[in-house]
Amino acid sequence: MATAGTDHLTGIGARLIPEFDGVHDVWPRGERLKAVREAAATYKERFKAQGQVRAVKSVDIAAAPYPVKYAFHDAVSVPTLPLISMINRMIVVQYDDFDGRARTLVFEPTVPDGSAEAPFYRNLQKLTAKVPGGKLLERMVLRYYAEPGDVLRRLGLAPDDIDFCTFDHLHVQDPRMIMGSTEVIKGESAPREPLFGGAKMLVHSRELATLQSLHPMQWAWYVDGGLGGVAPEKFVTFDGDIELGPGVTLLWTPGHTDGNHSLVLNTPDGVWVSSENGISLDNWQPELSRIPGVRRYHEAFGREICPNANTLEDSLDQYDSMVKEKTLADRCKADPRWLQILPSTELAPWKRFWPVVPTYVHGGIAYGEVKGGRR
């Protein structure tokens, strides 16, 4: 496995972000939040001054069910369906690294067949198969748009055009489906080939370690065995916050998981942030939410965020991380009330789930022209 460190990051044209050194260790916790906010504001100035990404394009992959009680930390105050749908999106980013090399990064290349093997979704499938009307419910919450390989072809890219792939965290992700495996996955007839040729997966060291040794409180959300047969050298691990090149950063945002990180992009419209700390802008800006109970959550507890809370490995860390994201994100040009935060998996704006529908939806992101053959 490739390990974190300044020399290794230099080898991929990346570097550490000194502004955040030590901020997640500040004590007491109120002072830590203040330190995180101040460091994010300081870094934002330098980040924007460094330049912009060459091109970025998001494409929807699939919609999958998710419990309402997790989506908004049990804040929804009216009777609703127990499940809503979240739409996973893959983001392709083209940039130049700090050595001037053309790079292509794929963020969130979810393979739905792999995600279905996470224990939470496997158990949910068994439950819906047993209950009356289960098939109808499945049709209401599931929808498939494209596989990651289809997205590449649609954008005129070949697998060998991809330098790196990454996920904000590895909940319901099966690395074998993306990186290939020397082992035959159960139900398949041959070893998996890499989805993106020789691309490396960028992963926070704590996130990879979690998948290597799951705690029972984490188990339901990870694909146990998802590393089987995957060559260790296919991973590039890092610690803390790193910038890959002008206009693109992987920001460490712990709390939802220990190794959670967020994608930060500088574009012609300013800074965008993408993660699954929330599943809609309502999570980051509950004071503007029209989902019953979410604004009340903000008012009753004096909290400026309402977390996506299927796991709370450290709820205070997740709060700080969402403030870190909010501080970096710029205001939306179309409606300046809202921040340019694009949930990596977003609450579907489908009327069938009313009133649990997002108050505002960006609907995706696209700048410049994604091109093949840049390498």
Side-chain angles (χ1 to χ4, degrees), residues 110-133:
T110 296
V111 177
D113 286 347
S115 298
E117 291 306 308
F120 173 81
Y121 281 112
R122 193 168 62 239
N123 292 340
L124 186 61
Q125 285 178 329
K126 291 178 182 178
L127 178 63
T128 55
K130 292 178 180 178
V131 300

Side-chain angles (χ1 to χ4, degrees), residues 1-2 179-181 194 197-202 230-236:
M1 177 192 310
M179 309 312 294
S181 174
K200 305 284 188 181
M201 180 179 285
L202 306 177
V230 182
E233 61 269 19
K234 288 182 175 288
F235 296 97
V236 175

